[in-house]
Amino acid sequence: MANAYLQGVEISATQFLDIWHHYDNDGNGYIEGKELQNFIKELQEARREAGLELTEAMKAFVETYGQNTDAKIGMVELVQILPTDENFLLFFRQQLKSCAEFMQAWRRYDADHSGYIEADELKSFLRDLLQKAKKSYDDKKLEEYTQTTLKMFDSNNDGKLCLAEMARLLPDQENFLLKFQNVKMPAKEFNTIFELYDQDGNGYMDENELDALLKDLCEKNQKVLDINNIATYKNAIMALSDGGKLYRTELALVLCADEN
């Protein structure tokens, strides 16, 4: 079925999801190694069978990844080369070009501050996204986009997206949250850390307190975090704050491994 979709002039959001799941055999969120080589081979075969030339984007993709057996791609990279008629994932990238903008959007659309984007909140986000892109849609199409996005990124199938799941819409180079996945801590340790760096005990961190915490985290986790990127980390995390006040629940989205 995936091979047949690759022959299409246009690919729907649902078909794109089927293609993704077909080639992401181990379900780790990437097409990599043998998976990627199989995709490239079958993409070329499918286009040839359909009498279609590779697009310029496809040719560049094959040239970049065709001989690189260690390479991996995420959904964002795949959607850039496939002829998807909706391309709503690219709409997301056009609106949110940095991790800080992503965090601001998260705070805006997580209307109930539950720490999750639930289906209705996701639908509101996608509706605004489509309107900004001046893309026509109807209620049926919006529902398809919403359910497809959930199926793409809801890794534990709970019907909602946590911060780390939704952040997979960002390209890897912008997604510092991928790095912080490796430094998350249990709730008890997180609470101790928060109270330690909330130096005045007012229940929230300001920029200076967060800066001190990030510096220590970078020193402790040099293989994962780059101390030269502290300003980027700080700006993105502070985008979750309430007028410069970063409360425990917001910081927990980034640093706490347990549900909050």
Side-chain angles (χ1 to χ4, degrees), residues 179-247:
K179 298 183 181 296
F180 275 80
Q181 288 295 103
N182 296 313
V183 299
K184 282 190 170 185
M185 58 195 77
K188 184 176 181 179
E189 181 181 353
F190 168 77
N191 287 327
T192 300
I193 290 290
F194 186 91
E195 290 162 9
L196 177 65
Y197 287 89
D198 175 21
Q199 296 176 359
D200 52 12
N202 58 7
Y204 61 84
M205 287 192 193
D206 58 27
E207 283 198 23
N208 292 331
E209 291 168 333
L210 178 61
D211 189 71
L213 170 58
L214 290 174
K215 284 179 179 177
D216 288 348
L217 284 175
C218 286
E219 289 290 342
K220 184 179 179 181
N221 300 276
Q222 294 182 19
K223 292 183 179 180
V224 179
L225 302 178
D226 185 353
I227 198 167
N228 295 315
N229 287 334
I230 282 182
T232 300
Y233 302 154
K234 181 170 67 175
N235 288 340
I237 295 172
M238 286 304 294
L240 293 170
S241 70
D242 181 5
K245 299 177 180 179
L246 184 66
Y247 289 96

Side-chain angles (χ1 to χ4, degrees), residues 24-89:
D24 179 20
N25 293 323
D26 56 8
N28 70 344
Y30 292 97
I31 297 175
E32 57 188 339
K34 187 176 180 180
E35 298 170 339
L36 183 55
Q37 297 308 307
N38 287 341
F39 167 73
I40 291 172
K41 177 184 176 182
E42 292 176 18
L43 172 65
Q44 293 172 310
E45 291 175 350
R47 301 291 287 185
R48 187 164 54 248
E49 290 171 6
L52 298 171
E53 295 284 338
L54 293 179
T55 65
E56 291 304 314
M58 289 176 181
K59 290 177 182 177
F61 181 87
V62 171
E63 184 176 345
T64 300
Y65 296 107
Q67 301 301 320
N68 187 350
T69 57
D70 294 326
K72 66 179 180 179
I73 63 168
M75 286 187 181
V76 172
E77 287 76 26
L78 184 62
V79 80
Q80 286 180 299
I81 66 163
L82 293 182
T84 49
D85 57 341
E86 296 93 351
N87 243 341
F88 65 98
L89 295 180

Side-chain angles (χ1 to χ4, degrees), residues 124-163:
S124 295
F125 165 73
L126 292 173
R127 181 186 297 111
D128 291 350
L129 193 64
L130 291 162
Q131 290 174 351
K132 183 173 182 178
K134 296 182 171 60
K135 180 75 173 179
S136 61
Y137 67 94
D138 54 24
D139 289 343
K140 182 179 178 181
K141 184 62 68 175
L142 181 61
E143 180 65 20
E144 180 192 356
Y145 290 165
T146 302
Q147 293 305 316
T148 301
T149 302
L150 280 172
K151 290 176 183 176
M152 283 181 178
F153 300 108
D154 182 14
S155 56
N156 61 355
N157 298 313
D158 62 357
K160 53 190 177 183
L161 300 179
C162 69
L163 185 67

